[in-house]
Every structure is written in C-alpha cells, then in structure tokens.
Amino acid sequence: MRISELSRRSGVANATIKYYLREGLLPPGRATAATQAEYDDTHLRRLRLIRALIGVRGLSVAAAKQLLDTVSQYQADTHQVLGLVLGIPTGGATSKAPQDAEGEGGEHGSEADALLTALDWEVSEYNPARGVIDETLETLRSLGLDHDWRFLLPYAELARRTARLDLDELESLKDPLEMAERAVLLTFLLEPALMALRRLAQEAESMVRHGETASPSPDSCAAQRLSDEQG
Amino acid sequence: MRISELSRRSGVANATIKYYLREGLLPPGRATAATQAEYDDTHLRRLRLIRALIGVRGLSVAAAKQLLDTVSQYQADTHQVLGLVLGIPTGGATSKAPQDAEGEGGEHGSEADALLTALDWEVSEYNPARGVIDETLETLRSLGLDHDWRFLLPYAELARRTARLDLDELESLKDPLEMAERAVLLTFLLEPALMALRRLAQEAESMVRHGETASPSPDSCAAQRLSDEQG
C-alpha cells in the first residue's frame, strides 16, 4: 500500500508517519520509484504499536524507538514482549524472589514479596507494581488502618481473574506486535473503566445492603398515573 | 480529651484542628475554662473523616464543610452517606434509569446504561463513573478495537466482587462517620494498589501461559555455587 493508505488504515497522520520513518521507528518501505514506496501489513502493525506506546503509554519517541529495538530481539518470546511493552524492566530473571533469596518467604522482604509468595505468583523483582503495594499498605497504616498484606489476598485473587480476561483477549491474535499493541491498549486504557466499574458496583452493592425502598415502586407509580389521569 | 490528645490520636496537627474549628468543619468542644475545651470520640471520628475528605479525596476545606453539613442531615441513611462521601451527587432518585425511562433497555441511552441494565445494577443516573465507561469504549473503538459494552460484562462481574470486599470491610463499623471515613480511604487509596495487583497478575499469568523455563532452576544454581567454591 501507499503511505496515504497506511495513514488511513492506521489513523496516524501522513506527516507523523514520515517523521517515524526518518527517526527509524518504522522501517522503510519497498522503493517503487525515486519518491515512492510500498508498505505492507508489517508496517501497519508496527505503526499501531508505535501509536499505542506513544499515544497511550505516553513514551517519548526516543524511548519508543529503544523499546521497539529490544522488542524485535525478543519477538519470538511472547512473555518477554508483553513484559517489555507493559513497562517491566528486563535484566533480571523472573523469579519467586523471596523464596529463592531467603528460604521461607518474605519475613525480611517487602510486603509485596510476602503477598506474591503467598499467592505463588511468579513475578520479576523489577516489576514496579511491587512498590505500589508496599506504599499503599504503608499509607493505610499511617491513617490508622492496621492491615498488612493479608488484607490484599482476596483482592489479588480477583485481580488474577481480571488478568486472565486480559490475556484471553490476546489469545486470538497471532502476530506478536499485534498482541503487544492490544496488551498496551487493554492494560492502560481499561484502568479508568475498571475503577469506574468498581465505583458503580459499590453503589449497586450499597443499595442492596443499605438502600431503603424510599423511591416509589413501579406499582405505586402506576397507581399515581392512574389517579392523575382520573383526577 | 484535650486538643493535644485529639491531635495525637487523629494525626492532625494542633494548628490544623484549630483552623477546622474556626471554619466550622469541626463542632466546638465542651468549654471547661476560658481557653480550654474537652473533646470526645465524636470529634475524633469527624476529624478523621475530614482528613480523609481533604487529604485523600482532595476536597477543598469549603467543599468538605458543605459535604459534612449534608452528611449530618442523612446520618441515619448509610447508603446516602456512602454515596455522598464517595462523590455521587444527590438530587435524583437512585433508579434503574434506562429501564424506567425507555421501556426495554438502553437502545437510545448510553452504553453504560445498557451495561448496567444487563447487570441489573441499581445505580444513580448522576454517578460520574457512567461517563468513564462510555469514554473508554469510544476511545477503544477509535483505536480500532471493535468492542461494545458486552466486552465489559465479565470485568463488571469481578468489579462487583471487589465492591463486596470493600463493603464487607465496612460491616464491622457501627458509627456512620467511621464507615464514611473508611469508605473514602478504601475507595481512593486502594485504586493504585488494585491496578498494581492487575499488573502483577498479568505478569504471573503471562508466565504461566507463555513463559519459558529459561531461568536457571534452583538445582543448577546450587551446582553453580558448588563449582564456584571448588574452582
């Protein structure tokens, strides 16, 4: 396809595509004339991944280029590719860190270590989400809630099921770049929606547990309408 | 208790407590001398709620005062109090809006309407989380993911279970102000932790589905150490 069709199908402006070509984020097309080139589906998929990394994950062009270079090295390793695009630094082996390092599980490690050990989740020690767990528990304690990591166990079980839904959504895709793009979109864009679903569910659940039947029931509405019509 | 003990037990600075007293967020204590007053547990609970509303929910002092005034009117109605402190505007009756308004469910309403109808969740039409659902689906579509609200159904079922955990945590509390404070802390402070749990779960789940056993096993580590010691 020509660059104009690549632009139309990817939703990325012509000028932006040319910029990505100059910066080396996108490999050059097959030259068909001095000023013309043909692009194919690999360009389209790569362009969509670039858009996800820059537009959704918020990476700089330079950081996206570096990441894409690393991704191409690991292209055959889906687990590595997903980790890379989702922002888990490589360099360390994935390991059940506290068990390996300290024998029986996390007394001297962070609370995230203890939680992950209890859950038997195999997670890189470089996953930045570990720090968020520790910080949250510390904040809750500073505000008088005396909870440790055990408090998060049932929440973690539900998070695991949520992650299974996320990964199920990727199963249908064969191309690793397409998978990577979808993973970025789902992980980052769904976050506000998942939190919104929790807020809506809290209201619905509070209604079930504490709601009074203060609002008129359908029957009394019908009675009201009837009396209005008659009156 | 004296103001100094109120400060110590609430974690709110002396000067801040005096400011809240002047602004009317906190009712005056029982005067015991010209410049001294006694405070009790109701002050402590209210102060903790103020701290949650300002420090965690990020309300201004004026907005917190207005909210606290409304909360005291509804103090006996747990469902109303929780809605108020969590930021769901009052004024409309809680209703299954699309069903009531349009007969059989949301064809003309928003996608959030259709989702809530399908879930049979009773949620105020003023809950701002509805808008987040619609925006997210629109963004995903603009990026080429052709999903409608049905895609969110299994996520919503998990969100409902998460909300049940949240509300279970409030059950043990009897005082409505204490419940309100805990609801604010749990709802707002847990958000980053819940998203972090999802990220950790994604990595763990990806490891199970796509991970290779590339990292050395404990046995080969032991063998390595042994050969190092001997070498």
Side-chain angles (χ1 to χ4, degrees):
Chain A
M1 69 190 97
R2 296 284 177 75
I3 195 166
S4 55
E5 197 189 337
L6 187 60
S7 166
R8 193 182 54 73
R9 287 180 61 188
S10 67
V12 178
N14 235 297
T16 310
I17 295 177
K18 285 178 182 162
Y19 173 57
Y20 292 159
L21 285 164
R22 280 199 306 276
E23 296 294 322
L25 273 81
L26 200 60
R30 187 171 53 83
T32 52
T35 59
Q36 259 179 16
E38 266 301 288
Y39 300 91
D40 57 28
D41 279 353
T42 63
H43 289 92
L44 184 61
R45 285 194 290 268
R46 194 168 165 116
L47 197 49
R48 286 195 173 132
L49 176 55
I50 294 170
R51 184 186 54 179
L53 292 173
I54 294 177
V56 174
R57 232 195 93 184
L59 291 188
S60 70
V61 169
K65 177 168 171 19
Q66 203 182 355
L67 180 55
L68 286 165
D69 290 345
T70 319
V71 163
S72 10
Q73 287 172 40
Y74 290 100
Q75 206 157 140
D77 183 346
T78 305
H79 180 63
Q80 273 279 7
V81 168
L82 291 181
L84 283 165
V85 295
L86 295 179
I88 303 159
T90 51
T94 305
S95 67
K96 302 185 188 181
Q99 282 179 326
D100 294 352
E102 291 161 29
E104 19 174 10
E107 299 101 320
H108 309 292
S110 72
E111 292 198 277
D113 286 343
L115 177 65
L116 293 169
T117 303
L119 291 162
D120 201 26
W121 288 7
E122 208 160 335
V123 167
S124 157
E125 54 188 303
Y126 300 99
N127 192 319
R130 289 171 173 266
V132 178
I133 302 295
D134 290 333
E135 279 163 32
T136 300
L137 288 168
E138 205 170 308
T139 304
L140 285 174
R141 268 194 300 270
S142 79
L143 293 170
L145 264 83
D146 197 22
H147 293 322
D148 70 3
W149 57 269
R150 287 172 193 84
F151 165 65
L152 292 178
L153 274 172
Y155 287 102
E157 300 288 0
L158 294 172
R160 181 70 181 241
R161 297 199 201 183
T162 304
R164 286 199 189 112
L165 293 177
D166 295 333
L167 272 96
D168 287 350
E169 178 68 20
L170 307 180
E171 295 285 304
S172 63
L173 306 168
K174 299 230 168 55
D175 181 81
L177 290 195
E178 217 169 331
M179 245 188 182
E181 183 226 359
R182 188 71 59 95
V184 172
L185 296 187
L186 285 183
T187 300
F188 290 83
L189 294 180
L190 275 193
E191 286 198 348
L194 295 181
M195 292 301 91
L197 287 174
R198 179 178 173 227
R199 300 284 182 97
L200 294 167
Q202 283 179 334
E203 190 187 340
E205 186 66 20
S206 163
M207 188 67 189
V208 168
R209 297 194 191 189
H210 308 292
E212 295 173 321
T213 49
S215 55
S217 69
D219 276 349
S220 72
C221 284
Q224 181 71 43
R225 267 198 305 280
L226 199 62
S227 88
D228 286 350
E229 280 164 12
Q230 292 177 336
Chain B
M1 69 190 97
R2 296 285 177 74
I3 196 166
S4 55
E5 197 189 337
L6 187 61
S7 166
R8 191 181 55 73
R9 287 180 60 186
S10 67
V12 177
N14 235 299
T16 310
I17 296 177
K18 285 177 182 162
Y19 173 59
Y20 292 159
L21 285 164
R22 280 198 305 276
E23 296 294 321
L25 273 81
L26 199 60
R30 190 172 52 82
T32 52
T35 59
Q36 258 179 17
E38 264 302 289
Y39 300 90
D40 58 27
D41 278 353
T42 63
H43 290 91
L44 184 62
R45 285 193 291 268
R46 194 168 166 114
L47 197 49
R48 286 194 173 134
L49 177 55
I50 295 169
R51 184 186 54 179
L53 292 172
I54 295 177
V56 174
R57 230 195 94 185
L59 292 188
S60 70
V61 169
K65 178 168 172 17
Q66 204 183 354
L67 181 54
L68 286 165
D69 290 345
T70 319
V71 163
S72 11
Q73 287 172 39
Y74 290 100
Q75 204 156 141
D77 184 344
T78 305
H79 180 64
Q80 274 278 7
V81 168
L82 292 181
L84 283 164
V85 296
L86 295 180
I88 303 158
T90 50
T94 305
S95 68
K96 301 185 189 181
Q99 282 179 325
D100 295 351
E102 292 159 28
E104 20 175 8
E107 298 99 322
H108 309 292
S110 71
E111 292 198 277
D113 286 343
L115 177 65
L116 292 169
T117 302
L119 291 162
D120 202 27
W121 288 7
E122 209 160 336
V123 166
S124 157
E125 53 189 305
Y126 300 99
N127 192 320
R130 288 171 173 267
V132 178
I133 302 296
D134 290 333
E135 280 163 32
T136 300
L137 288 168
E138 206 171 309
T139 304
L140 285 174
R141 268 194 300 270
S142 79
L143 293 171
L145 263 82
D146 197 22
H147 293 324
D148 70 4
W149 57 269
R150 288 171 192 85
F151 165 65
L152 292 178
L153 274 172
Y155 287 103
E157 300 288 0
L158 294 172
R160 181 70 181 244
R161 296 199 202 180
T162 303
R164 287 200 188 111
L165 293 177
D166 295 333
L167 272 96
D168 287 349
E169 178 69 20
L170 306 181
E171 296 284 304
S172 63
L173 305 168
K174 299 232 168 53
D175 181 81
L177 290 195
E178 217 169 330
M179 246 188 183
E181 183 227 359
R182 187 72 59 95
V184 173
L185 296 187
L186 284 183
T187 301
F188 291 83
L189 294 180
L190 275 194
E191 285 198 348
L194 296 181
M195 292 301 91
L197 286 174
R198 180 178 173 227
R199 300 284 182 96
L200 294 167
Q202 283 178 335
E203 190 187 340
E205 186 66 21
S206 163
M207 188 66 189
V208 168
R209 297 194 191 189
H210 308 292
E212 294 172 320
T213 50
S215 55
S217 70
D219 276 350
S220 72
C221 284
Q224 180 69 43
R225 267 199 305 280
L226 199 62
S227 88
D228 287 349
E229 281 164 11
Q230 291 177 339

mmCIF file of all heavy atoms in Angstrom, chain B residues 2 12 14 23 58 60 82 101 106 109 112 123 129 137 147 156 196 216 231:
data_model
loop_
_atom_site.group_PDB
_atom_site.id
_atom_site.type_symbol
_atom_site.label_atom_id
_atom_site.label_comp_id
_atom_site.label_asym_id
_atom_site.label_seq_id
_atom_site.Cartn_x
_atom_site.Cartn_y
_atom_site.Cartn_z
ATOM 1 N N ARG B 2 -8.197 16.633 75.756
ATOM 2 C CA ARG B 2 -7.738 17.965 75.353
ATOM 3 C C ARG B 2 -7.411 17.985 73.850
ATOM 4 O O ARG B 2 -7.236 16.922 73.249
ATOM 5 C CB ARG B 2 -6.451 18.340 76.122
ATOM 6 C CG ARG B 2 -6.618 18.467 77.600
ATOM 7 C CD ARG B 2 -7.327 19.768 77.952
ATOM 8 N NE ARG B 2 -7.550 19.877 79.383
ATOM 9 C CZ ARG B 2 -6.582 20.153 80.264
ATOM 10 N NH1 ARG B 2 -5.345 20.370 79.872
ATOM 11 N NH2 ARG B 2 -6.867 20.223 81.550
ATOM 12 N N VAL B 12 -3.716 14.697 63.165
ATOM 13 C CA VAL B 12 -3.884 16.019 62.551
ATOM 14 C C VAL B 12 -3.233 17.067 63.478
ATOM 15 O O VAL B 12 -3.471 17.052 64.687
ATOM 16 C CB VAL B 12 -5.388 16.356 62.347
ATOM 17 C CG1 VAL B 12 -5.567 17.751 61.769
ATOM 18 C CG2 VAL B 12 -6.051 15.311 61.466
ATOM 19 N N ASN B 14 -2.194 20.242 65.663
ATOM 20 C CA ASN B 14 -2.910 21.176 66.536
ATOM 21 C C ASN B 14 -3.471 22.389 65.793
ATOM 22 O O ASN B 14 -4.665 22.698 65.875
ATOM 23 C CB ASN B 14 -1.905 21.687 67.566
ATOM 24 C CG ASN B 14 -2.418 21.459 68.978
ATOM 25 O OD1 ASN B 14 -3.464 21.990 69.329
ATOM 26 N ND2 ASN B 14 -1.704 20.648 69.739
ATOM 27 N N GLU B 23 -13.354 27.330 61.062
ATOM 28 C CA GLU B 23 -14.119 27.267 59.810
ATOM 29 C C GLU B 23 -15.435 26.507 59.975
ATOM 30 O O GLU B 23 -16.210 26.400 59.024
ATOM 31 C CB GLU B 23 -13.281 26.601 58.711
ATOM 32 C CG GLU B 23 -12.035 27.377 58.318
ATOM 33 C CD GLU B 23 -12.379 28.708 57.643
ATOM 34 O OE1 GLU B 23 -13.329 28.742 56.853
ATOM 35 O OE2 GLU B 23 -11.687 29.711 57.936
ATOM 36 N N GLY B 58 -9.162 14.850 48.301
ATOM 37 C CA GLY B 58 -8.677 16.074 47.667
ATOM 38 C C GLY B 58 -9.687 17.203 47.625
ATOM 39 O O GLY B 58 -9.573 18.110 46.798
ATOM 40 N N SER B 60 -11.581 20.693 48.767
ATOM 41 C CA SER B 60 -11.209 21.939 49.434
ATOM 42 C C SER B 60 -11.883 21.964 50.800
ATOM 43 O O SER B 60 -12.815 21.209 51.061
ATOM 44 C CB SER B 60 -11.688 23.131 48.610
ATOM 45 O OG SER B 60 -13.102 23.208 48.658
ATOM 46 N N LEU B 82 -22.693 7.014 52.221
ATOM 47 C CA LEU B 82 -21.611 6.451 51.403
ATOM 48 C C LEU B 82 -21.581 7.118 50.029
ATOM 49 O O LEU B 82 -20.520 7.466 49.519
ATOM 50 C CB LEU B 82 -21.779 4.933 51.252
ATOM 51 C CG LEU B 82 -21.572 4.116 52.530
ATOM 52 C CD1 LEU B 82 -21.741 2.630 52.241
ATOM 53 C CD2 LEU B 82 -20.190 4.377 53.119
ATOM 54 N N ALA B 101 -36.973 4.582 32.102
ATOM 55 C CA ALA B 101 -37.209 5.701 31.198
ATOM 56 C C ALA B 101 -37.619 5.261 29.793
ATOM 57 O O ALA B 101 -38.365 5.938 29.116
ATOM 58 C CB ALA B 101 -35.967 6.572 31.106
ATOM 59 N N GLY B 106 -32.128 0.644 27.006
ATOM 60 C CA GLY B 106 -30.899 1.297 26.654
ATOM 61 C C GLY B 106 -30.552 1.434 25.190
ATOM 62 O O GLY B 106 -29.456 1.851 24.892
ATOM 63 N N GLY B 109 -30.072 4.947 25.065
ATOM 64 C CA GLY B 109 -29.263 5.503 26.140
ATOM 65 C C GLY B 109 -27.790 5.310 25.846
ATOM 66 O O GLY B 109 -27.396 4.923 24.753
ATOM 67 N N ALA B 112 -23.146 2.781 28.996
ATOM 68 C CA ALA B 112 -23.160 2.482 30.422
ATOM 69 C C ALA B 112 -24.564 2.080 30.857
ATOM 70 O O ALA B 112 -24.734 1.149 31.648
ATOM 71 C CB ALA B 112 -22.678 3.691 31.223
ATOM 72 N N VAL B 123 -28.100 1.946 40.023
ATOM 73 C CA VAL B 123 -27.091 2.994 40.168
ATOM 74 C C VAL B 123 -27.690 4.345 39.776
ATOM 75 O O VAL B 123 -28.410 4.440 38.779
ATOM 76 C CB VAL B 123 -25.867 2.677 39.266
ATOM 77 C CG1 VAL B 123 -24.961 3.876 39.130
ATOM 78 C CG2 VAL B 123 -25.103 1.480 39.799
ATOM 79 N N ALA B 129 -19.165 7.817 37.225
ATOM 80 C CA ALA B 129 -18.443 6.675 36.661
ATOM 81 C C ALA B 129 -19.091 6.189 35.358
ATOM 82 O O ALA B 129 -18.430 5.570 34.522
ATOM 83 C CB ALA B 129 -18.386 5.538 37.684
ATOM 84 N N LEU B 137 -14.984 3.093 26.036
ATOM 85 C CA LEU B 137 -15.402 2.293 24.875
ATOM 86 C C LEU B 137 -15.213 3.078 23.586
ATOM 87 O O LEU B 137 -14.795 2.529 22.564
ATOM 88 C CB LEU B 137 -16.857 1.845 25.049
ATOM 89 C CG LEU B 137 -17.052 0.752 26.124
ATOM 90 C CD1 LEU B 137 -18.529 0.562 26.446
ATOM 91 C CD2 LEU B 137 -16.436 -0.570 25.669
ATOM 92 N N HIS B 147 -15.172 -3.189 20.158
ATOM 93 C CA HIS B 147 -15.873 -3.781 21.301
ATOM 94 C C HIS B 147 -17.012 -2.874 21.739
ATOM 95 O O HIS B 147 -16.839 -1.662 21.788
ATOM 96 C CB HIS B 147 -14.921 -3.927 22.486
ATOM 97 C CG HIS B 147 -13.838 -4.923 22.247
ATOM 98 N ND1 HIS B 147 -14.024 -6.081 21.543
ATOM 99 C CD2 HIS B 147 -12.543 -4.945 22.639
ATOM 100 C CE1 HIS B 147 -12.906 -6.768 21.508
ATOM 101 N NE2 HIS B 147 -11.976 -6.093 22.155
ATOM 102 N N ALA B 156 -17.070 -6.468 34.774
ATOM 103 C CA ALA B 156 -18.011 -5.903 35.738
ATOM 104 C C ALA B 156 -18.356 -6.904 36.835
ATOM 105 O O ALA B 156 -18.486 -6.529 38.010
ATOM 106 C CB ALA B 156 -19.277 -5.447 35.018
ATOM 107 N N ALA B 196 -2.102 -2.104 40.509
ATOM 108 C CA ALA B 196 -0.801 -2.768 40.639
ATOM 109 C C ALA B 196 -0.987 -4.281 40.719
ATOM 110 O O ALA B 196 -0.224 -5.044 40.100
ATOM 111 C CB ALA B 196 -0.067 -2.250 41.875
ATOM 112 N N PRO B 216 17.572 -20.233 35.276
ATOM 113 C CA PRO B 216 18.146 -21.452 35.832
ATOM 114 C C PRO B 216 17.313 -21.975 37.000
ATOM 115 O O PRO B 216 16.757 -21.211 37.761
ATOM 116 C CB PRO B 216 19.531 -21.006 36.319
ATOM 117 C CG PRO B 216 19.449 -19.525 36.465
ATOM 118 C CD PRO B 216 18.423 -19.066 35.477
ATOM 119 N N GLY B 231 36.233 -24.257 42.495
ATOM 120 C CA GLY B 231 37.129 -23.774 41.458
ATOM 121 C C GLY B 231 38.066 -22.706 41.933
ATOM 122 O O GLY B 231 38.556 -22.666 43.041
#
